[in-house]
Amino acid sequence: MSVETQAPPVRGRLPLGVYLLAFSLFAMGSAEFLLAGVLPAIAADLDISLSAAGGLISAFAAGVVVGGPPLAILTLRWPRRTTLVATQAVFAVCLAIGLVTDDYAVIVVTRFVCGLAYAGYWAVAAVTAISLVTPDRTARASGVVVSGLSIAMIAGGPAGALLSYFTGWRGGFWAVAALTIAAAVLTMVALPATSASGVPSVRAELRTMRRPQLWVVFAITLLSTAAYMISFNYLAAFLTGITGVPAVWVPAILTLFGVGAFAGLSVGGRIADRKPTRALLAGAVGIAAASALLALLSRNMVAVVALVLVLGIAGFILNPAIYGRVFTLAAKAPTLAGATTVSAFQLGISLVPALAGVALNAGSGLTSVVWIGAALAVATVPLILLDRATRTDPHRPMPQARTIPTPADATSPRPQTRHPHARRRDIPTPADATSSRPQTRHPHACGHEPSSRPWT
């Protein structure tokens, strides 16, 4: 697929459009993190069970998993700005419909459609961001866009939950809808209109998806996301039930994970463009080490709090490298590959309850959950090494090829730094051997300068 053009890629500081995309993802992502904080209020208001209220989380996740790739194909020929604004509008409208009804089934459907729109926006936003910068800053631009999610985790979700505490559970979601509409207006005004330099091709997108290296990166995405999210999702219960942290401090410690995630994205975005393998390995090894130490030092409050920060850093330091690898492998047709990456992220999150449920239903304690996270991170390492083995490092100098002299080369003049006698005593070339002239001919015949000494 041809890369859409709106302005020459910017060198130096990242353009404003990249930060606008991050803000938009923050606004939409806040709805995902807000829901977990108001589940009891939703269950009480709709007169449903807590597990049924949790089904709203599953509906949103299912929309993200299945929605990204089909929407990428459906909107492939649309200008990117049009796609971004359209998905934001669908997200806000569906969110509002779910807020003005008490019908649980309708709310489930609106959450699913919100997930579809969210996946479509995320995929196109990532592709748009890399089109705004030079190729050597792809990972950094992707990291800034994804940082909108970490800010949603740190501030958006908790702030929305606090607002909902005072206004009812719908209050926080109305704020999310308003922010999404504001971001859509800013996108229309501040993000240049895009147009394709060539005709986008669904066939080219599908052909790119047949590259085995892409699926290795998708597997890295799924496993690494599940590795840190399984510990994060059960962190509150781990802190209160095993470490003995007072419940009042749990939100602050969870926010510390978000701070670490933001720091990891910042560091990862700066190193991933030139050293993607180091970023990926640092993240995987860091997740494994932090998870294992959480299990081993589970009753040491100071150590656990520090390790929560480390887990956030390690979990997100590899995200820019993941996007950098995807868009490097799918440079000519990035839209479907970007959408599939979003689905892999969400699928990794969706697998967490099932993986944790196996351990907990078997009678294992919460410590077993973080051990699962460590095992998933360790399983990521061979895939990272496989990705490194199957790619060519563009920064490694190519070896110089050896040149084998040809008969014509042998008859060319010798370097002038050699003594003239050495040139006259060279072994005759095939051309000389077939010549009818004697081998002791005058040096003028070979093109040498005249010599006052006799030929010997």
Side-chain angles (χ1 to χ4, degrees):
M1 186 190 81
S2 308
V3 177
E4 293 180 2
T5 58
Q6 68 250 26
V10 177
R11 295 183 180 274
R13 299 184 63 181
L14 295 177
L16 176 64
V18 174
Y19 296 98
L20 175 58
L21 295 170
F23 170 73
S24 301
L25 201 57
F26 155 75
M28 300 170 75
S30 295
E32 181 178 12
F33 297 107
L34 164 61
L35 187 59
V38 295
L39 281 183
I42 292 175
D45 184 54
L46 300 181
D47 194 21
I48 57 177
S49 66
L50 189 61
S51 61
L56 298 177
I57 297 178
S58 300
F60 185 89
V64 176
V65 170
V66 304
L71 278 178
I73 296 297
L74 179 65
T75 62
L76 186 60
R77 298 179 186 272
W78 294 12
R80 285 177 182 160
R81 189 177 68 175
T82 301
T83 304
L84 293 171
V85 174
T87 51
Q88 288 173 300
V90 170
F91 182 91
V93 169
C94 286
L95 193 59
I97 292 174
L99 296 176
V100 297
T101 181
D102 291 329
D103 190 320
Y104 174 73
V106 173
I107 297 176
V108 169
V109 172
T110 59
R111 288 292 296 178
F112 178 79
V113 178
C114 281
L116 293 176
Y118 178 66
Y121 181 89
W122 189 354
V124 177
V127 177
T128 303
I130 67 170
S131 72
L132 296 174
V133 299
T134 51
D136 61 327
R137 312 189 77 198
T138 295
R140 185 177 179 188
S142 301
V144 169
V145 173
V146 178
S147 70
L149 290 181
S150 65
I151 298 175
M153 184 186 300
I154 298 170
L162 182 63
L163 179 62
S164 296
Y165 178 80
F166 292 104
T167 62
W169 67 268
R170 291 177 172 84
F173 289 103
W174 280 119
V176 169
L179 284 175
T180 302
I181 293 298
V185 173
L186 289 174
T187 299
M188 294 178 63
V189 173
L191 197 67
T194 62
S195 59
S197 58
V199 179
S201 170
V202 174
R203 182 175 299 176
E205 296 281 343
L206 295 175
R207 186 185 307 117
T208 298
M209 292 297 293
R210 292 202 295 265
R211 299 192 64 177
Q213 297 97 322
L214 266 179
W215 293 95
V216 172
V217 179
F218 294 151
I220 292 171
T221 304
L222 189 153
L223 288 176
S224 61
T225 302
Y228 66 81
M229 285 303 297
I230 193 170
S231 297
F232 176 76
N233 282 4
Y234 290 87
L235 198 55
F238 183 90
L239 291 171
T240 57
I242 297 180
T243 309
V245 175
V248 68
W249 290 106
V250 170
I253 297 174
L254 296 180
T255 301
L256 193 61
F257 177 90
V259 172
F262 186 79
L265 286 169
S266 300
V267 175
R270 292 181 181 275
I271 67 174
D273 281 312
R274 295 190 60 84
K275 300 175 181 178
T277 298
R278 291 190 181 182
L280 292 171
L281 285 175
V285 173
I287 295 169
S291 300
L293 289 173
L294 277 173
L296 296 173
L297 304 175
S298 58
R299 300 190 183 280
N300 187 321
M301 189 178 302
V302 175
V304 166
V305 171
L307 288 169
V308 169
L309 176 65
V310 174
L311 184 64
I313 295 172
F316 283 78
I317 199 172
L318 42 62
N319 283 357
I322 287 173
Y323 272 103
R325 289 296 297 137
V326 168
F327 292 132
T328 297
L329 292 168
K332 295 183 179 180
T335 305
L336 182 56
T340 307
T341 306
V342 174
S343 296
F345 271 116
Q346 194 64 45
L347 185 58
I349 296 174
S350 302
L351 288 177
V352 165
L355 294 173
V358 170
L360 296 177
N361 291 335
S364 302
L366 285 170
T367 305
S368 64
V369 173
V370 293
W371 279 119
I372 293 174
L376 291 171
V378 170
T380 307
V381 173
L383 293 174
I384 296 172
L385 297 178
L386 176 61
D387 173 63
R388 182 180 66 177
T390 56
R391 78 169 184 266
T392 300
D393 187 354
H395 303 288
R396 181 182 302 168
M398 294 297 292
Q400 296 293 330
R402 295 184 60 186
T403 302
I404 301 175
T406 63
D409 297 330
T411 61
S412 61
R414 302 286 181 173
Q416 296 301 317
T417 56
R418 296 183 62 186
H419 195 277
H421 292 302
R423 291 198 302 271
R424 290 193 292 268
R425 292 169 182 161
D426 285 336
I427 299 173
T429 64
D432 296 331
T434 59
S435 174
S436 60
R437 304 188 64 175
Q439 296 298 318
T440 57
R441 64 186 181 277
H442 196 276
H444 290 307
C446 295
H448 294 291
E449 294 296 327
S451 174
S452 60
R453 300 185 63 180
W455 177 260
T456 56

